[in-house]
Amino acid sequence: MKTGGIIAVVAEHEDGKINRHTLEVTAFALMAGASSGMRTVVIIPGNGMTEAGRLISEESGADVVLLESPHLENYTSEGYKAALHEFLMEYVSGIVMVPHTQRGSEYAPGLAVRLGAACITGVNGMKSGNGMVFTRQAFNGKLEMQFRPAADFAVITVMPGAAKPEFCSSGPGSVAAVSSDIELKATRYLGVKKSGAEDSGIENADVIVSAGRGIGGVENIGLITGLAGLFDRSAVGCSRIVCDRGWMEYGRQIGITGKTVSPKLYIACGISGAVQHLAGMSGSGFIVAVNRDPEAPIFKHSDVCVVEDLNGFLPEFIEEIRKRRAG
Ligand SMILES: Cc1cc2nc3c(=O)[nH]c(=O)nc-3n(C[C@H](O)[C@H](O)[C@H](O)COP(=O)(O)OP(=O)(O)OC[C@H]3O[C@@H](n4cnc5c(N)ncnc54)[C@H](O)[C@@H]3O)c2cc1C
């Protein structure tokens, strides 16, 4: 029987564990549900995900549905679209929230087409009032766009960091299992090959100094490593453009298609603050940004804003710290 007024969160998992982004989306859904009177259900497409389902129901208090099939053991876009379409059409109508990751971005639009749903991607906030309105940043965070779904169903991809994964549940939600009899027609899962990229250590660093396009060229990487070298347990990261230009390896990229980090201190040098970069570092404890443009969006997310040309500022700053430590 179909139940309306539901917010369905589609979980993302790896090696049997639900990831942090799913917890953030669940917290976001619960907030949306509290302001609109809708119930939140976490759907876990997979095979043998009972333990993960129990854990998320206990942590969040949301009800959980294990959508099970041997064809869902490993993620495929075809499998997720088919199984979710079949399940949602039969049981749920309302809003479907999907983590805005490479996977989510891959299957969410196709799922929306199958459901005849609105599709709103890259959502980072919501406003209550006359119906549910979702917000998304545009032009590097300089504009906010607002969207109201115009269909009974809406598939929404939610940016990392849209909500903190914190819950005040009054007890665990229910966990139910539904088996799906989908067949994969066009896709064959061959396995996952890890990239040979060296471990840059950025996920465990206390301090990350990150380079953006503003460093100007590979010859200035020394300024970034020099600054990082002033701190214990530090590492060097970067924006995607820096990797695309071959100035640093992709293992150091921070952001939605790179690593997600939460060091105690994050120093962004010559980084504008695009949403895709912010998604990977906005959980940092204290953020310092060095940028010559006082209007740079990164400053809205920084605890200390240094409006300077980094070519002048960084060498002087590094020199000053070294002098103070020496004497
Ligand atoms: C699907 C998709 C996924 C993406 N994933 C990621 C991701 O995971 N991570 C990521 O980082 N990006 C990602 N991007 C790219 C992202 O949109 C931005 O293009 C990128 O983050 C910008 O990098 P940047 O800030 O280094 O460069 P820019 O946006 O070019 O900013 C450079 C900044 O440096 C400043 N500057 C210039 N010269 C100086 C100087 N001498 N001194 C001080 N400041 C200076 C400028 O004022 C400017 O603010 C993605 C984009 C897409 C479409």
Side-chain angles (χ1 to χ4, degrees), residues 209-212 214-231 234-238 242 247-248 252 269 310-311 313-319 322:
V209 183
S210 266
I215 65 161
V218 70
E219 63 282 4
N220 288 332
I221 296 284
L223 287 177
I224 305 302
T225 52
L227 181 55
L230 297 177
F231 302 95
S234 64
V236 169
C238 62
V242 169
W247 301 346
M248 281 194 200
R252 296 190 183 277
C269 303
L310 59 83
N311 293 305
F313 175 77
L314 288 186
E316 270 186 46
F317 181 76
I318 293 168
E319 186 54 28
R322 284 191 183 138

Side-chain angles (χ1 to χ4, degrees), residues 159-227:
M159 293 293 281
K164 287 210 163 94
E166 292 165 359
F167 305 96
C168 46
S169 99
S170 53
S174 63
V175 181
V178 173
S179 65
S180 167
D181 56 6
I182 53 153
E183 292 292 333
L184 295 185
K185 297 192 178 96
T187 311
R188 205 150 42 97
Y189 178 80
L190 297 178
V192 174
K193 197 171 166 202
K194 298 258 184 228
S195 88
E198 271 183 38
D199 180 11
S200 58
I202 57 175
E203 275 132 325
N204 299 317
D206 283 345
V207 179
I208 296 178
V209 183
S210 266
R213 195 208 312 246
I215 65 161
V218 70
E219 63 282 4
N220 288 332
I221 296 284
L223 287 177
I224 305 302
T225 52
L227 181 55

Side-chain angles (χ1 to χ4, degrees), residues 122-325:
V123 163
N124 65 349
M126 69 196 141
K127 290 186 171 8
S128 47
N130 185 12
M132 221 180 265
V133 173
F134 296 97
T135 60
R136 177 166 92 192
Q137 290 184 5
F139 293 100
N140 261 353
K142 290 187 174 130
L143 293 181
E144 181 188 85
M145 300 163 87
Q146 301 187 352
F147 298 88
R148 181 180 293 123
D152 290 345
F153 254 127
V155 178
I156 285 165
T157 66
V158 181
M159 293 293 281
K164 287 210 163 94
E166 292 165 359
F167 305 96
C168 46
S169 99
S170 53
S174 63
V175 181
V178 173
S179 65
S180 167
D181 56 6
I182 53 153
E183 292 292 333
L184 295 185
K185 297 192 178 96
T187 311
R188 205 150 42 97
Y189 178 80
L190 297 178
V192 174
K193 197 171 166 202
K194 298 258 184 228
S195 88
E198 271 183 38
D199 180 11
S200 58
I202 57 175
E203 275 132 325
N204 299 317
D206 283 345
V207 179
I208 296 178
V209 183
S210 266
R213 195 208 312 246
I215 65 161
V218 70
E219 63 282 4
N220 288 332
I221 296 284
L223 287 177
I224 305 302
T225 52
L227 181 55
L230 297 177
F231 302 95
D232 290 337
R233 290 181 53 82
S234 64
V236 169
C238 62
S239 69
R240 188 166 104 174
I241 290 183
V242 169
C243 300
D244 289 345
R245 295 189 168 203
W247 301 346
M248 281 194 200
E249 67 274 28
Y250 278 100
R252 296 190 183 277
Q253 180 187 320
I254 290 165
I256 198 158
T257 45
K259 301 249 163 77
T260 301
V261 294
S262 45
K264 292 179 184 158
L265 172 62
Y266 188 86
I267 308 179
C269 303
I271 292 180
S272 59
V275 282
Q276 293 89 356
H277 187 80
L278 294 172
M281 46 63 75
S282 54
S284 305
F286 195 85
I287 299 173
V288 177
V290 185
N291 198 304
R292 68 181 176 192
D293 174 7
E295 302 294 324
I298 188 92
F299 286 146
K300 286 197 199 131
H301 305 269
S302 305
D303 299 286
V304 172
C305 309
V306 181
V307 184
E308 290 283 353
D309 187 314
L310 59 83
N311 293 305
F313 175 77
L314 288 186
E316 270 186 46
F317 181 76
I318 293 168
E319 186 54 28
E320 183 60 29
I321 298 288
R322 284 191 183 138
K323 261 199 249 161
R324 286 189 192 199
R325 286 189 182 167

Side-chain angles (χ1 to χ4, degrees), residues 13-84:
H13 52 87
E14 206 72 62
D15 300 327
K17 291 199 183 86
I18 304 277
N19 64 16
R20 176 188 161 97
H21 194 168
T22 300
L23 296 178
E24 291 176 358
V25 180
T26 305
F28 186 81
L30 287 163
M31 277 189 310
S35 62
S36 62
M38 294 169 90
R39 193 160 66 90
T40 296
V41 175
V42 178
I43 302 173
I44 310 179
N47 196 24
M49 292 294 293
T50 314
E51 180 59 10
R54 186 184 64 76
L55 289 175
I56 193 168
S57 78
E58 282 178 3
E59 187 169 354
S60 67
D63 294 332
V64 171
V65 172
L66 308 171
L67 183 56
E68 297 196 300
S69 157
H71 295 298
L72 294 170
E73 182 152 348
N74 298 296
Y75 165 77
T76 62
S77 171
E78 184 189 358
Y80 268 48
K81 279 186 289 205
L84 287 166

